[in-house]
Amino acid sequence: MVKRAIIMAAGIGKRMQPLTFKTPKPLVKVNGVRMIDTVVDGLKQNGINEIYVVVGHLKEQFFEWGEGRAGITIIENPYYDTCNNISSLYVAREHLGECIILDGDQIIYNPLILDPTFTLSGYNAVWCEGETNEWLMDVKDGVVRSCSRTGGSRGWQLYSISRWTAEDGERLRKHLEYEFDRGNRQIYWDDVAMFCHFKDYKLGVQEMHKEDIIEIDGLDELVAIDPSYNIYLQKQEKAEE
């Protein structure tokens, strides 16, 4: 049973600049609602009220956002601008175990995908029949056998929502410390369990549907959902000329 959540919200949001020069990506409003609010609301609807938010870029705005919100604890990541997101989970590693880890820059449309009950540690995933460039997992008998970084077809597309048992959380903490402390700081934290120490885990998947969630990577995807941001897309295109 998930007892706590860790929300990753420290990134610079480079692919959404210039919008993210002044607003951290998770605090961007999409059709009037901040992305991170859909995440927090979904967690609380599932009884997950102990929530840690890891921040870095424009961190002061998160402190202002979190003020007065019950159950929210802000954790600062001093490495956010020099390391990949392994650094964000590293600074929150004491809260691993019986936890759900997810990104703050996504929109949760179906709170049921954040159900606190689970059997195996692992990721939410969507079955992908056709081609995708996203991480794609090969699953047999409910257990992840391998993962492709470059995508493929007929597999389970990994999404940035994962649950970890107490035992796997402790294992993940030790592996994070090992990789980070030896200088392996330019990897995703997901690399730790999915690639660096894959044989030490037995990972499953939590099935969901594509329409349950949206991960917004760039301005073009944001504008497709909320056209009011088209001016920023035009500025971005002009800057790239």
Side-chain angles (χ1 to χ4, degrees):
M1 180 72 72
V2 170
K3 294 182 178 179
R4 60 192 59 85
I6 300 173
I7 299 177
M8 313 286 272
I12 295 172
K14 187 174 182 180
R15 284 180 288 182
M16 281 181 58
Q17 293 174 349
L19 175 59
T20 48
F21 285 146
K22 294 184 178 181
T23 305
K25 188 177 174 185
L27 295 184
V28 169
K29 290 184 178 180
V30 181
N31 295 316
V33 181
R34 295 182 182 90
M35 287 190 270
I36 197 171
D37 286 340
T38 72
V39 176
V40 171
D41 289 347
L43 290 169
K44 292 193 172 185
Q45 287 180 48
N46 282 279
I48 305 168
N49 298 304
E50 181 184 340
I51 302 172
Y52 300 91
V53 183
V54 185
V55 304
H57 177 60
L58 300 175
K59 61 185 180 182
E60 297 81 7
Q61 294 186 35
F62 285 102
F63 282 103
E64 182 178 348
W65 163 82
E67 188 174 355
R69 291 175 182 258
I72 300 290
T73 300
I74 306 294
I75 299 176
E76 293 186 43
N77 175 8
Y79 314 102
Y80 79 93
D81 57 346
T82 58
C83 303
N84 209 328
N85 78 354
I86 183 177
S87 62
S88 285
L89 199 58
Y90 177 82
V91 300
R93 65 192 184 280
E94 299 304 323
H95 305 292
L96 292 170
E98 296 180 301
C99 74
I100 186 169
I101 306 169
L102 63 173
D103 288 347
D105 58 351
Q106 52 194 347
I107 302 172
I108 305 296
Y109 286 120
N110 179 8
L112 294 177
I113 66 174
L114 305 182
D115 189 322
T117 60
F118 67 109
T119 303
L120 294 177
S121 299
Y123 289 82
N124 277 39
V126 170
W127 173 253
C128 183
E129 187 72 22
E131 290 289 332
T132 179
N133 295 324
E134 302 295 335
W135 286 19
L136 202 66
M137 298 178 288
D138 175 43
V139 179
K140 184 177 181 180
D141 298 326
V143 177
V144 179
R145 300 301 183 184
S146 64
C147 182
S148 167
R149 298 174 190 272
T150 55
S153 62
R154 294 190 58 79
W156 290 93
Q157 182 179 330
L158 179 152
Y159 278 72
S160 55
I161 300 172
S162 62
R163 296 164 179 80
W164 302 87
T165 64
E167 295 78 11
D168 284 337
E170 176 62 17
R171 190 173 291 116
L172 182 57
R173 181 185 66 81
K174 291 179 179 178
H175 288 154
L176 279 166
E177 291 176 343
Y178 172 76
E179 296 298 336
F180 193 81
D181 293 343
R182 77 188 184 102
N184 196 11
R185 302 182 178 187
Q186 300 304 323
I187 61 173
Y188 295 110
W189 77 261
D190 311 89
D191 282 309
V192 175
M194 190 58 75
F195 294 105
C196 300
H197 302 275
F198 181 72
K199 292 182 179 180
D200 294 323
Y201 298 86
K202 183 179 180 181
L203 302 177
V205 296
Q206 294 274 110
E207 182 178 352
M208 64 179 188
H209 302 287
K210 191 173 183 180
E211 59 269 20
D212 292 336
I213 183 175
I214 289 184
E215 294 182 342
I216 299 177
D217 291 325
L219 272 176
D220 56 340
E221 295 177 10
L222 175 61
V223 170
I225 300 171
D226 187 342
S228 68
Y229 289 103
N230 190 53
I231 186 173
Y232 290 98
L233 182 59
Q234 293 173 346
K235 288 180 180 179
Q236 185 189 64
E237 293 172 346
K238 186 176 182 179
E240 292 173 353
E241 291 178 353

